[in-house]
């Protein structure tokens, strides 16, 4: 199981690090929104990875912004405790397509 931590765009690095420390599970998924202050610097991701390592956590970064994922990926040299989840975006797109298909069926009267 993983603890999912949702950041706000205006959350600071200290807040994100504190939430990693407080996580109940050893695996933490940090969801970073568009325009997040945390996602502005590679060093922030290095600090988060270090915080995860020191606290025995495995940190996965989930971000819809490709530049945030790239910055996170560039910080992986800290260790193997930082992952970047790109599949989440693909799964989200598949889910939207599936919902769109279902809605089209409902509108066409194909489904009761």
């Amino acid at each position: 199981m993983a603890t999912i931590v949702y950041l706000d765009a205006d959350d600071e690095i200290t807040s994100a690090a504190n939430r990693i420390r407080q996580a109940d599970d050893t695996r933490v998924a940090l969801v970073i929104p568009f325009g997040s202050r945390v996602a502005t610097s590679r060093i922030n991701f290095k600090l988060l990875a270090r915080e995860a390592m020191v606290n025995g956590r495995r940190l996965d970064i989930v971000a819809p912004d490709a530049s945030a994922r790239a910055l996170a990926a560039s910080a992986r040299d800290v260790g193997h405790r930082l992952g970047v989840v790109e599949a989440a975006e693909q799964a989200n797109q598949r889910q939207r397509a599936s919902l769109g298909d279902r809605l089209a069926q409902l509108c066409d009267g194909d489904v009761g």
Side-chain angles (χ1 to χ4, degrees):
M1 195 76 167
T3 297
I4 301 173
V5 175
Y6 295 92
L7 293 183
D8 290 326
D10 59 347
D11 278 339
E12 298 287 341
I13 186 70
T14 53
S15 172
N18 188 42
R19 293 176 73 187
I20 291 169
R21 275 191 300 274
Q22 293 176 349
D24 293 330
D25 298 303
T26 57
R27 190 160 195 158
V28 178
L30 191 64
V31 182
I32 301 176
F34 277 106
S36 171
R37 290 181 181 185
V38 171
T40 59
S41 167
R42 179 177 181 234
I43 195 72
N44 284 347
F45 289 107
K46 285 183 169 269
L47 291 169
L48 293 174
R50 179 161 166 55
E51 191 66 39
M53 184 178 65
V54 166
N55 288 284
R57 306 280 191 268
R58 165 80 164 99
L59 181 62
D60 291 312
I61 301 296
V62 181
D65 185 4
S67 63
R69 289 193 310 269
L71 281 172
S74 71
R76 284 188 195 168
D77 61 354
V78 172
H80 298 288
R81 296 209 174 251
L82 177 66
V84 181
V85 180
E86 296 174 12
E89 183 176 308
Q90 294 169 356
N92 193 18
Q93 289 172 349
R94 285 192 303 272
Q95 183 180 20
R96 275 193 229 129
S98 175
L99 290 173
D101 291 345
R102 175 86 171 137
L103 182 60
Q105 288 175 344
L106 289 171
C107 290
D108 291 341
D110 293 343
V111 176

